[in-house]
mmCIF file of all heavy atoms in Angstrom:
data_model
loop_
_atom_site.group_PDB
_atom_site.id
_atom_site.type_symbol
_atom_site.label_atom_id
_atom_site.label_comp_id
_atom_site.label_asym_id
_atom_site.label_seq_id
_atom_site.Cartn_x
_atom_site.Cartn_y
_atom_site.Cartn_z
ATOM 1 N N VAL A 32 122.506 86.104 135.906
ATOM 2 C CA VAL A 32 121.374 86.980 136.148
ATOM 3 C C VAL A 32 121.727 88.423 135.803
ATOM 4 O O VAL A 32 120.938 89.130 135.186
ATOM 5 C CB VAL A 32 120.909 86.865 137.621
ATOM 6 C CG1 VAL A 32 119.788 87.846 137.911
ATOM 7 C CG2 VAL A 32 120.492 85.443 137.932
ATOM 8 N N GLU A 33 122.949 88.836 136.199
ATOM 9 C CA GLU A 33 123.304 90.243 136.022
ATOM 10 C C GLU A 33 124.807 90.415 136.130
ATOM 11 O O GLU A 33 125.478 89.691 136.853
ATOM 12 C CB GLU A 33 122.619 91.061 137.136
ATOM 13 C CG GLU A 33 122.957 92.524 137.144
ATOM 14 C CD GLU A 33 122.401 93.259 138.362
ATOM 15 O OE1 GLU A 33 121.877 92.624 139.293
ATOM 16 O OE2 GLU A 33 122.523 94.494 138.377
ATOM 17 N N LEU A 34 125.312 91.392 135.406
ATOM 18 C CA LEU A 34 126.664 91.902 135.609
ATOM 19 C C LEU A 34 126.477 93.299 136.164
ATOM 20 O O LEU A 34 125.970 94.187 135.476
ATOM 21 C CB LEU A 34 127.465 91.926 134.308
ATOM 22 C CG LEU A 34 128.841 92.598 134.385
ATOM 23 C CD1 LEU A 34 129.738 91.868 135.373
ATOM 24 C CD2 LEU A 34 129.479 92.667 133.016
ATOM 25 N N THR A 35 126.858 93.492 137.422
ATOM 26 C CA THR A 35 126.631 94.793 138.052
ATOM 27 C C THR A 35 127.624 95.818 137.514
ATOM 28 O O THR A 35 128.623 95.471 136.883
ATOM 29 C CB THR A 35 126.786 94.702 139.590
ATOM 30 O OG1 THR A 35 128.155 94.445 139.901
ATOM 31 C CG2 THR A 35 125.878 93.637 140.179
ATOM 32 N N ASP A 36 127.362 97.087 137.810
ATOM 33 C CA ASP A 36 128.239 98.171 137.373
ATOM 34 C C ASP A 36 129.625 98.090 138.011
ATOM 35 O O ASP A 36 130.589 98.639 137.491
ATOM 36 C CB ASP A 36 127.604 99.535 137.673
ATOM 37 C CG ASP A 36 126.403 99.804 136.783
ATOM 38 O OD1 ASP A 36 126.308 99.203 135.693
ATOM 39 O OD2 ASP A 36 125.553 100.616 137.177
ATOM 40 N N ASP A 37 129.723 97.388 139.150
ATOM 41 C CA ASP A 37 131.033 97.213 139.780
ATOM 42 C C ASP A 37 131.638 95.838 139.477
ATOM 43 O O ASP A 37 132.477 95.336 140.224
ATOM 44 C CB ASP A 37 130.978 97.510 141.286
ATOM 45 C CG ASP A 37 129.903 96.734 142.006
ATOM 46 O OD1 ASP A 37 129.078 96.064 141.348
ATOM 47 O OD2 ASP A 37 129.883 96.768 143.246
ATOM 48 N N TYR A 38 131.196 95.241 138.367
ATOM 49 C CA TYR A 38 131.775 94.007 137.808
ATOM 50 C C TYR A 38 131.643 92.784 138.704
ATOM 51 O O TYR A 38 132.537 91.946 138.772
ATOM 52 C CB TYR A 38 133.235 94.231 137.380
ATOM 53 C CG TYR A 38 133.341 95.313 136.343
ATOM 54 C CD1 TYR A 38 133.858 96.566 136.680
ATOM 55 C CD2 TYR A 38 132.886 95.108 135.045
ATOM 56 C CE1 TYR A 38 133.931 97.582 135.735
ATOM 57 C CE2 TYR A 38 132.949 96.116 134.095
ATOM 58 C CZ TYR A 38 133.467 97.342 134.439
ATOM 59 O OH TYR A 38 133.525 98.338 133.504
ATOM 60 N N ILE A 39 130.515 92.691 139.388
ATOM 61 C CA ILE A 39 130.156 91.490 140.133
ATOM 62 C C ILE A 39 129.145 90.731 139.267
ATOM 63 O O ILE A 39 128.165 91.310 138.802
ATOM 64 C CB ILE A 39 129.532 91.825 141.505
ATOM 65 C CG1 ILE A 39 130.476 92.693 142.345
ATOM 66 C CG2 ILE A 39 129.116 90.554 142.240
ATOM 67 C CD1 ILE A 39 131.785 92.039 142.726
ATOM 68 N N VAL A 40 129.400 89.441 139.057
ATOM 69 C CA VAL A 40 128.491 88.604 138.275
ATOM 70 C C VAL A 40 127.530 87.949 139.255
ATOM 71 O O VAL A 40 127.948 87.239 140.169
ATOM 72 C CB VAL A 40 129.256 87.525 137.476
ATOM 73 C CG1 VAL A 40 128.282 86.644 136.702
ATOM 74 C CG2 VAL A 40 130.261 88.175 136.528
ATOM 75 N N LYS A 41 126.250 88.213 139.062
ATOM 76 C CA LYS A 41 125.227 87.577 139.893
ATOM 77 C C LYS A 41 124.705 86.373 139.120
ATOM 78 O O LYS A 41 124.329 86.489 137.952
ATOM 79 C CB LYS A 41 124.111 88.551 140.230
ATOM 80 C CG LYS A 41 124.621 89.670 141.112
ATOM 81 C CD LYS A 41 123.522 90.436 141.775
ATOM 82 C CE LYS A 41 124.151 91.485 142.680
ATOM 83 N NZ LYS A 41 123.160 92.120 143.508
ATOM 84 N N ILE A 42 124.722 85.212 139.791
ATOM 85 C CA ILE A 42 124.318 83.970 139.138
ATOM 86 C C ILE A 42 123.214 83.298 139.935
ATOM 87 O O ILE A 42 123.010 83.588 141.126
ATOM 88 C CB ILE A 42 125.503 82.992 139.009
ATOM 89 C CG1 ILE A 42 126.052 82.628 140.393
ATOM 90 C CG2 ILE A 42 126.586 83.555 138.102
ATOM 91 C CD1 ILE A 42 127.007 81.461 140.380
ATOM 92 N N LYS A 43 122.520 82.409 139.270
ATOM 93 C CA LYS A 43 121.516 81.579 139.922
ATOM 94 C C LYS A 43 121.864 80.131 139.614
ATOM 95 O O LYS A 43 122.000 79.754 138.447
ATOM 96 C CB LYS A 43 120.124 81.912 139.402
ATOM 97 C CG LYS A 43 119.024 81.150 140.104
ATOM 98 C CD LYS A 43 117.665 81.635 139.685
ATOM 99 C CE LYS A 43 116.598 80.908 140.469
ATOM 100 N NZ LYS A 43 115.265 81.328 140.074
ATOM 101 N N LEU A 44 122.064 79.352 140.664
ATOM 102 C CA LEU A 44 122.324 77.932 140.487
ATOM 103 C C LEU A 44 121.001 77.231 140.258
ATOM 104 O O LEU A 44 120.011 77.519 140.930
ATOM 105 C CB LEU A 44 123.041 77.369 141.714
ATOM 106 C CG LEU A 44 124.435 77.955 141.955
ATOM 107 C CD1 LEU A 44 124.967 77.526 143.314
ATOM 108 C CD2 LEU A 44 125.396 77.548 140.854
ATOM 109 N N LEU A 45 120.988 76.310 139.311
ATOM 110 C CA LEU A 45 119.763 75.628 138.906
ATOM 111 C C LEU A 45 119.857 74.130 139.170
ATOM 112 O O LEU A 45 120.947 73.580 139.304
ATOM 113 C CB LEU A 45 119.509 75.865 137.410
ATOM 114 C CG LEU A 45 119.509 77.326 136.948
ATOM 115 C CD1 LEU A 45 119.470 77.396 135.435
ATOM 116 C CD2 LEU A 45 118.325 78.070 137.554
ATOM 117 N N GLY A 46 118.701 73.480 139.202
ATOM 118 C CA GLY A 46 118.663 72.028 139.377
ATOM 119 C C GLY A 46 119.222 71.622 140.727
ATOM 120 O O GLY A 46 119.038 72.303 141.723
ATOM 121 N N THR A 47 119.966 70.509 140.734
ATOM 122 C CA THR A 47 120.509 70.015 142.001
ATOM 123 C C THR A 47 121.518 70.985 142.605
ATOM 124 O O THR A 47 121.756 70.945 143.805
ATOM 125 C CB THR A 47 121.184 68.644 141.816
ATOM 126 O OG1 THR A 47 122.198 68.752 140.821
ATOM 127 C CG2 THR A 47 120.181 67.588 141.424
ATOM 128 N N CYS A 48 122.101 71.861 141.790
ATOM 129 C CA CYS A 48 123.073 72.830 142.320
ATOM 130 C C CYS A 48 122.414 73.852 143.233
ATOM 131 O O CYS A 48 123.074 74.441 144.086
ATOM 132 C CB CYS A 48 123.776 73.568 141.177
ATOM 133 S SG CYS A 48 124.880 72.507 140.226
ATOM 134 N N SER A 49 121.123 74.076 143.062
ATOM 135 C CA SER A 49 120.451 75.128 143.827
ATOM 136 C C SER A 49 120.345 74.803 145.306
ATOM 137 O O SER A 49 120.255 75.707 146.129
ATOM 138 C CB SER A 49 119.062 75.411 143.247
ATOM 139 O OG SER A 49 118.238 74.275 143.402
ATOM 140 N N ASN A 50 120.363 73.518 145.660
ATOM 141 C CA ASN A 50 120.241 73.180 147.080
ATOM 142 C C ASN A 50 121.345 72.234 147.548
ATOM 143 O O ASN A 50 121.222 71.598 148.576
ATOM 144 C CB ASN A 50 118.861 72.591 147.382
ATOM 145 C CG ASN A 50 118.550 71.379 146.538
ATOM 146 O OD1 ASN A 50 119.421 70.828 145.880
ATOM 147 N ND2 ASN A 50 117.301 70.964 146.564
ATOM 148 N N CYS A 51 122.428 72.170 146.806
ATOM 149 C CA CYS A 51 123.551 71.307 147.163
ATOM 150 C C CYS A 51 124.364 71.966 148.272
ATOM 151 O O CYS A 51 124.630 73.163 148.234
ATOM 152 C CB CYS A 51 124.429 71.075 145.928
ATOM 153 S SG CYS A 51 125.977 70.241 146.286
ATOM 154 N N ASN A 52 124.790 71.167 149.261
ATOM 155 C CA ASN A 52 125.576 71.735 150.351
ATOM 156 C C ASN A 52 126.983 72.121 149.910
ATOM 157 O O ASN A 52 127.698 72.777 150.639
ATOM 158 C CB ASN A 52 125.612 70.808 151.565
ATOM 159 C CG ASN A 52 126.212 69.455 151.245
ATOM 160 O OD1 ASN A 52 126.627 69.181 150.123
ATOM 161 N ND2 ASN A 52 126.241 68.602 152.231
ATOM 162 N N MET A 53 127.372 71.750 148.706
ATOM 163 C CA MET A 53 128.683 72.123 148.166
ATOM 164 C C MET A 53 128.578 73.347 147.251
ATOM 165 O O MET A 53 129.561 73.763 146.656
ATOM 166 C CB MET A 53 129.293 70.956 147.384
ATOM 167 C CG MET A 53 129.601 69.739 148.228
ATOM 168 S SD MET A 53 130.850 70.070 149.483
ATOM 169 C CE MET A 53 132.294 70.192 148.441
ATOM 170 N N SER A 54 127.393 73.946 147.140
ATOM 171 C CA SER A 54 127.200 75.037 146.183
ATOM 172 C C SER A 54 128.085 76.247 146.468
ATOM 173 O O SER A 54 128.571 76.887 145.544
ATOM 174 C CB SER A 54 125.730 75.449 146.107
ATOM 175 O OG SER A 54 125.293 75.990 147.327
ATOM 176 N N THR A 55 128.344 76.546 147.732
ATOM 177 C CA THR A 55 129.218 77.677 148.056
ATOM 178 C C THR A 55 130.625 77.424 147.524
ATOM 179 O O THR A 55 131.241 78.303 146.922
ATOM 180 C CB THR A 55 129.260 77.918 149.579
ATOM 181 O OG1 THR A 55 127.936 78.174 150.025
ATOM 182 C CG2 THR A 55 130.143 79.103 149.927
ATOM 183 N N LEU A 56 131.109 76.205 147.718
ATOM 184 C CA LEU A 56 132.422 75.840 147.198
ATOM 185 C C LEU A 56 132.426 75.871 145.673
ATOM 186 O O LEU A 56 133.383 76.350 145.060
ATOM 187 C CB LEU A 56 132.820 74.452 147.709
ATOM 188 C CG LEU A 56 134.180 73.938 147.260
ATOM 189 C CD1 LEU A 56 135.294 74.847 147.787
ATOM 190 C CD2 LEU A 56 134.392 72.521 147.750
ATOM 191 N N THR A 57 131.352 75.392 145.062
ATOM 192 C CA THR A 57 131.237 75.406 143.601
ATOM 193 C C THR A 57 131.326 76.829 143.078
ATOM 194 O O THR A 57 132.049 77.115 142.119
ATOM 195 C CB THR A 57 129.897 74.766 143.151
ATOM 196 O OG1 THR A 57 129.877 73.408 143.582
ATOM 197 C CG2 THR A 57 129.728 74.827 141.647
ATOM 198 N N VAL A 58 130.614 77.736 143.711
ATOM 199 C CA VAL A 58 130.613 79.138 143.275
ATOM 200 C C VAL A 58 131.998 79.744 143.459
ATOM 201 O O VAL A 58 132.556 80.330 142.538
ATOM 202 C CB VAL A 58 129.548 79.960 144.036
ATOM 203 C CG1 VAL A 58 129.719 81.448 143.766
ATOM 204 C CG2 VAL A 58 128.150 79.506 143.642
ATOM 205 N N ARG A 59 132.563 79.610 144.637
ATOM 206 C CA ARG A 59 133.841 80.259 144.938
ATOM 207 C C ARG A 59 135.001 79.644 144.145
ATOM 208 O O ARG A 59 135.731 80.347 143.468
ATOM 209 C CB ARG A 59 134.158 80.158 146.437
ATOM 210 C CG ARG A 59 133.294 81.045 147.268
ATOM 211 C CD ARG A 59 133.712 82.512 147.139
ATOM 212 N NE ARG A 59 132.733 83.345 147.768
ATOM 213 C CZ ARG A 59 131.943 84.196 147.132
ATOM 214 N NH1 ARG A 59 132.006 84.328 145.842
ATOM 215 N NH2 ARG A 59 131.078 84.923 147.783
#
Side-chain angles (χ1 to χ4, degrees):
V32 176
E33 176 187 8
L34 173 61
T35 68
D36 290 337
D37 53 352
Y38 301 107
I39 303 296
V40 178
K41 294 196 177 189
I42 61 168
K43 184 173 183 181
L44 296 170
L45 307 171
T47 57
C48 291
S49 65
N50 56 12
C51 171
N52 60 1
M53 296 296 288
S54 65
T55 301
L56 181 63
T57 298
V58 170
R59 288 285 171 247

